[in-house]
Structure formats: structure tokens, C-alpha cells
Amino acid sequence: MGAGKWGYPGWHEDPDWKGAWGPNPPFHTPVFVLTHHTRPSIEMEGGTTFHFLDAPAAEALKAAREAAGGQDVRIGGGPTMIRDFLAARLVDHMHVAVVPILLGRGVRLWTGLEGLEKDYRVEATSSPSGVTHLTFTRAGV
């Protein structure tokens, strides 16, 4: 996960910050937080251990695959980190939910990824609420 998903801006200056999920985060697996502000790993209840890496996407994926022991590895936002993994062609399957709200600011997921759709089978499903679910599956996977 990206550092922005793990904590509020400036979390790295608070040595007591352990994430927004309380003492028993919902992950129950090793979680690798990509950040320029590394710190020692934090073990939480329920099997979640947060590891802090300052590494490129491919190196972080290698560490996560080793920790997963042959199971799937999931990538969780934010958009800057997801974009790095997509640009490095490290994503086999992706689900994006597009919600019809106007935020007025933020990081654009697709910037710099022109032509990405050529490598994926893309399916779109709309729901009555207006949310559109996009599923990307790498060709040949």
C-alpha cells in the first residue's frame, strides 16, 4: 500500500502512529507500505505486520511475493503507487470502482498510462447507483 493510504500527511513524524485501523487491522497478512520515511516493522493483532519499504515497485513486489509464499499479492492504493505498478507492467488483474462524484482535486490514476488498455482485456459493469466497475485482466493471464 502507499504511504498515503497507511497514514495521514505527516504520520512519519509520529513514532506512535500505527495506522488508522486500530490494534487489529483487517489485513491479517504482511503489509508492505511504500514510503520514503521507513521505520521498523510493526506487528499488530490478527497477523498483520506492517513493513516499511523505500523501494521501486518491482522490488516491493518481490518482497511481497516472498512473504505470500505462493499466494496472491494484492496492491492497495493510493493512485500514485498503483500507477507505478501499472507503468512497470506488474499488474495481472485489477478492479477499479469509478464513483460519480466530483472531488475537485486529487491524483489522477491514468496520467502517463496511455495505451495501457492494449495489454489488458477490459470489462465495464455499471450499477444502478451510478458506480462503474472496471476490470482489467492482462492478456494471456
Side-chain angles (χ1 to χ4, degrees):
M1 84 173 46
K5 181 175 180 175
W6 192 77
Y8 62 93
W11 64 261
H12 57 277
E13 296 172 2
D14 180 356
D16 295 325
W17 177 254
K18 294 183 179 178
W21 300 277
N24 189 356
F27 308 107
H28 309 293
T29 61
V31 175
F32 294 85
V33 180
L34 296 181
T35 177
H36 297 298
H37 304 284
T38 60
R39 61 168 57 178
S41 296
I42 300 172
E43 290 187 36
M44 307 291 285
E45 294 174 19
T48 300
T49 301
F50 293 107
H51 303 280
F52 302 86
L53 300 176
D54 184 3
E59 189 177 321
L61 180 58
K62 182 179 179 198
R65 282 184 172 153
E66 289 172 8
Q71 296 182 1
D72 287 344
V73 171
R74 294 179 180 233
I75 301 168
T80 301
M81 195 213 52
I82 299 287
R83 201 171 50 229
D84 289 347
F85 278 81
L86 287 168
R89 303 298 195 243
L90 297 173
V91 177
D92 293 330
H93 182 81
M94 179 173 66
H95 171 240
V96 176
V98 180
V99 180
I101 60 171
L102 181 61
L103 298 174
R105 62 187 178 116
V107 177
R108 296 176 182 267
L109 178 60
W110 306 116
T111 299
L113 296 173
E114 292 78 10
L116 178 78
E117 70 281 356
K118 294 175 191 171
D119 296 336
Y120 291 88
R121 185 181 72 240
V122 181
E123 296 178 26
T125 306
S126 296
S127 68
S129 67
V131 174
T132 301
H133 296 270
L134 301 170
T135 304
F136 293 73
T137 304
R138 182 185 297 285
V141 173

